[in-house]
Each structure stands twice: as structure tokens, then as C-alpha cells.
Amino acid sequence: MRKQASVETTAEAYLELLAARGVEYLFANAGTDFAPIIEAYARRGAQGQARPRPMTVPHEVVAVGMAHGYAMVTGRPQAVMVHVIVGTANALGGIMNAARSNVPLLFTAGRNPITEAGAVGSRDRPIHWAQESFDQAGIVREFVKWDYELRSMSHLETVVDRALAITQAEPQGPVYLTLPREVLAERLEAFEYSDPARAPRPGPLAPDAETVAEAARLLASARHPIVITKALGRDPEAVGALVTLAEALALPVFEHSHTHLNFPQDHPLHGGFDSTPALGEADLILVAESDAPWYPHLKAPRPEAKIIQIGVDPLFSRYPIRGFHGDVALAGTPRLTLKALARAAAPLADRGVVAERRRRWESEHSRQREARASRARAVAADTPIDMAWLSRCIGDLVDDRTILVNEYDFDASQAAFTRPGSYFAASPAGGLGWGLGAALGAKLAAPDKTVICCVGDGAYIFGSPTAAHFVARAYGVPVLFVVFNNRMWNAVKKAVQTHASDGWAVKTGIMPLTELDPAPDYELVCRASGGHAERVEDPAQLPAALERALRVVREEKRQALLNVICKKP
Ligand SMILES: Cc1ncc(C[n+]2csc(CCOP(=O)(O)OP(=O)(O)O)c2C)c(N)n1
């Protein structure tokens, strides 16, 4: 169907189109390049016309994090707009995170005015000469699937629809569109476009029956098969498909460095979070959406073990090097692959073998659960607070309506996540600063859910907390932030300890460049934006402090922060 909209400029037509395509938010960090966009918002607002909700996000790392968080919960891309080359550069770490997490988002930036005079929107500020670059998209090109510049109004619909189609096609990832000021400011009388969009949208892909049958034969004939997964739960439906397959063959499932809930943690076949011990015995490993299922430098599977790799792109083609073997690789939509595999493998399985294997892994599952619980109990009274106890206290509060966003230090093994879409951890790209924005985006996407954001003190600082707390207050996005405050970058310290276990740094205890002491009073940062915030030092007070903070978030709809003083490693 063709639709007509009354607009005055390209910028207005652009907002009309984004809204028509289901983009609900524009997370923006503005500059002089935004003038036509802001003008368009003013007119559309005054006249009550459709537009994505504009959100002022005072740091790009939070803006991209919010779009990431929104898309990881809903699967739907939102728009981010930043200021020319400098905003693009600030956002780049977040774009790397989104790229490696296969998150769809429409990343856009203004473009410095091209003309020195003569057009509406021509250069009129001192920055307009120095802020032009030879190749603005070159800043991000390696980490986006597609980039383009809107060169003319006549192209608008094709360009926007192509951007949205490509970002959502598998493997998903961000796209980058630059918007020159002259083009945005171009005058128009009306805008006509197709509604719904007519750009092609590739649907789910299933692997061919022969390759599935080959994988099924391998699976059914293995004595000690295991599954390793990291990000299968990006598609919530894939979780149920993996449960069906695991139950049919009694396959233990290991969530290794997991970024999503991939398998219910209370399922007797959940094998835990460290597959390393099982590698010595496994004669078949099914790798499901995992870029690095083990570390060959530390421990590799037995050379004769068969490997099956499943994923939208089992080659991880955007990674320069990844040498994990695959005797069979099943490319396609993992939920379809897993369903097909379960259908093909179940009839081939030896029931006696399956029953025995199930008993064995069930008891291993119970042993692990008990070991984790007793570890938390053992440190429950420690002061400063142990991160296992902190994780357990948070884990105990997780209910069916909770989403937990984790950027460092929350130990998921101390909780029992069971629902797809309830747990998200930082991208394999590891660009710190993701957590605060991602949690805000998740809360926007799921306003009825409780969103808890766990961050290390390092991750908190990287997340541009002043900007994040500003957004939480300005737009009423009540998230509970918990800072795991160990006053250091322990990840960096641990890397030194493994790298040179009997070296100078370990022997002398001198480790420059790892300290975050003296620690700021992080609770004051949240209070500065009207949040409820407490410093917690007594482990016995922790459950009550969490309850208080959750009440504020749920009932008063206000953000909250707990600065939890943890052991310093
Ligand atoms: C943008 C960016 N800069 C630096 C790093 C390197 N890095 C990885 S972990 C880490 C420390 C994180 O500190 P914190 O959140 O306090 O967690 P902890 O290491 O103490 O467990 C750093 C600096 C990174 N991953 N990303």
C-alpha cells in the first residue's frame, strides 16, 4: 500500500519512515549536524505526527548500549544518532560489542555539511572544516555489515529499508548510515512510501536433511557426547529446541562463558559453566553458537573426538582467525537445526545408554549445585563481602519477571535462571561500558520486568555513569544497579598472575595499572540524579539492602544503586 505523509524536509520524511518501520526510539547524542532533525521533531511534535521517541543520551557509549539492550530483549533494531566523526569514534566500542553479539541496530551519524556555501545547511560553524574526514564510515566499517551515505531525498526509502533489512538478516549486526545536513534540510512538499516495506527480508534457514542425518548418526553413536554453548539463547525459541535434543540423547549442556540463558540452569542435564574437565573424556562435542568453546592453548578435546558446529555462521566469518575443527557444520537458524537434529537422532539412540548417561549427569548436576550453594554459605559472613555471597543474594531474588544484565563479576552459577531472555552478559568483544546502557535499553523494552544491572566498579566507570543515571531519571527508566566494588581491575591482575605465575609482579605484589583505589563513593553518583543509593559493607545487611532497593525500583519507579564493598583480590 502507498502512504502519503505531509512533511517539509527530508529529515521529517526520515522520522516518518523510521516510525512506520517500527523504530520506537532514537537514542541521540546531538551536535550541529542535528539541526534539521531537531527542527523536524519540533514540527512533528507540534502537529502530533508519528516519530520515534527522541532520547537525549549524554554519552555515546550509553546510547549504543541502550539500542543494544533493547534489541537483545525484543529482537528489534532501534536507531542511534551521533555527532559526525567524533560521536562515531566515541560509539565505536559499543558498535564492536553489538557486532560480535550479532545485535541489529541502525547506527547513524550526521555528516558535516559538504558545501562551503550556497545550500540550506551549508557550513556556518568553525568545526565544519575540521570535522570532515575522507572516509567517515571507515571509522566503523570493519564492525558494521553495511554502510552508506544518504545522498538524496529520492533514495530515502530504499536506503532506510535496505539498512533495516540488512541489520536484521542473519547473522545480524549493526549497519551505519551517514546523514549530510544539506540532504536532511532539503525542502519537500510531501512524502510517499510503501507501507509495509517491500525490501526483501530473508526468512529462517534450515540445513539440508543429509547433513542433519550425518550429524545425527555421529551424535547417536557417541558414548560421551557433550554440548557447549555460549549465545544460542539469542533466539529464545532455540532454548526449548536444545532441551528437546538434550533430553532425547541425555546430552549434558555446558554454558561456557555464556552471554545468554541457553539452557535452564535447574535442568538436570545442565552440566555447569566449565566444560574443561569434560573435554578429556568427550568423544563428541556439539558446539552451538559458541565462538570460542575451549582454549586450545590450555586444554583441547581428544584428537579423535568428533566435533559438530551449529550456528547461523559456524565459521564466524567476520573473525580473522578461528581454528576450531568441525567434522560436520550445520549453518542455519539454530532452532530449526536443533529440531531437525532431535527428530533425526532420537530414533537412533540406544535407550539403555541414554538412561545410564542421564543418571550420571543428573547426579553430577546435583553435586555441582550443592557445591555452589555450600561455597556461598561458607563465605556468607565474610567482611568485606565475597562476590559469591553477593551473587547468591541477588540470585535468590531473581523471579520470573527479572532480567539480569551482567558486565563482570556477577557469578551466574549462584543463581538459577530458567527462562530464555532472563540473563544477558557482555559481548565477546569485551568493550567495557556496555552494561549500564544495555540495562536501560532492556528496561525500556520490557517495562513490566525488573531489570538488575550487575557491574564491576571498573565496568561502572566505563559505562559513563553520569550519563546513564541522567537517562534513568530524565525518562523514568528504573533499573537497579549493583556495583561489585573490589577497588581494582581484577581481570587485569589475574591476567598478570596467569601470564607470569612466578614473575616479579606476583612475587613482589607490585601491580601497577590495576588499582581503582581510592574508590569514589559511587552511591553519590546515582543520588546526584535522584536515585536511591546505599553503600553496603555488612554481608548480613545485604539481603535487606537489596529488598529496599528493589522496592524503590518496583514501587516508586525510581532508579537505585548499591555500592557493595567486596573483598579486594
Ligand atoms: C574499553 C575497554 N578498555 C579496557 C579493557 C580491559 N579490561 C578488561 S576487564 C577490565 C577490568 C574490569 O574491571 P571491573 O569491572 O572492576 O571487574 P574486575 O576485573 O575487578 O572483576 C579491563 C580494564 C576492556 N575490556 N575494554
Side-chain angles (χ1 to χ4, degrees), residues 27 62-78 94 97-106 167-168 170 172-173 231-237 239 258-261 402-407 419-428 434-446 449-454 479:
F27 302 112
V62 181
V64 177
M66 289 178 75
H68 187 141
Y70 193 98
M72 79 191 180
V73 170
T74 60
R76 293 203 311 275
Q78 301 300 303
N97 286 336
R100 294 302 197 224
S101 293
N102 295 119
V103 161
L105 67 90
L106 176 61
T167 193
Q168 290 176 89
E170 292 288 1
Q172 297 183 328
L232 184 77
R234 183 165 70 85
D235 172 5
E237 280 188 46
V239 175
H258 65 310
T259 52
H260 296 71
L261 180 290
T402 305
I403 294 176
L404 195 137
V405 174
N406 183 21
E407 187 175 30
R419 270 183 323 101
S422 56
Y423 175 82
F424 298 96
S427 163
W434 164 86
L436 306 185
L440 291 168
K443 179 69 186 171
L444 283 179
K449 299 253 167 91
T450 303
V451 176
I452 303 179
C453 175
C454 295
V479 167

Side-chain angles (χ1 to χ4, degrees), residues 214-262:
E214 190 187 345
R217 274 194 301 276
L218 288 178
L219 260 179
S221 58
R223 292 297 291 196
H224 301 293
I226 64 171
V227 178
I228 301 178
T229 178
K230 175 188 264 187
L232 184 77
R234 183 165 70 85
D235 172 5
E237 280 188 46
V239 175
L242 180 57
V243 170
T244 308
L245 175 67
E247 286 177 349
L249 298 179
L251 305 173
V253 176
F254 293 87
E255 292 193 289
H256 180 82
S257 293
H258 65 310
T259 52
H260 296 71
L261 180 290
N262 303 292

Side-chain angles (χ1 to χ4, degrees), residues 408-409 430-432 456-459 462 486 488-492 516:
Y408 267 95
D409 291 334
L432 282 176
D457 47 342
F462 274 101
N486 61 4
M488 74 158 19
W489 288 339
N490 190 32
V492 181
L516 287 180

Side-chain angles (χ1 to χ4, degrees), residues 508-542:
T508 60
I510 301 170
M511 289 224 193
L513 312 181
T514 60
E515 292 276 339
L516 287 180
D517 234 347
D521 296 330
Y522 297 114
E523 60 277 21
L524 301 186
V525 187
C526 179
R527 275 190 217 140
S529 281
H532 161 94
E534 293 185 45
R535 177 186 177 92
V536 187
E537 295 187 72
D538 178 353
Q541 295 301 319
L542 193 50

Side-chain angles (χ1 to χ4, degrees), residues 1-6 16-17 19-21 50 157 190-196:
M1 198 178 77
R2 300 294 290 169
K3 205 169 162 185
Q4 282 263 344
S6 139
E16 163 84 22
L17 193 55
R21 299 307 187 232
E157 186 180 356
F191 171 50
E192 197 186 292
Y193 62 99
S194 298
D195 192 22

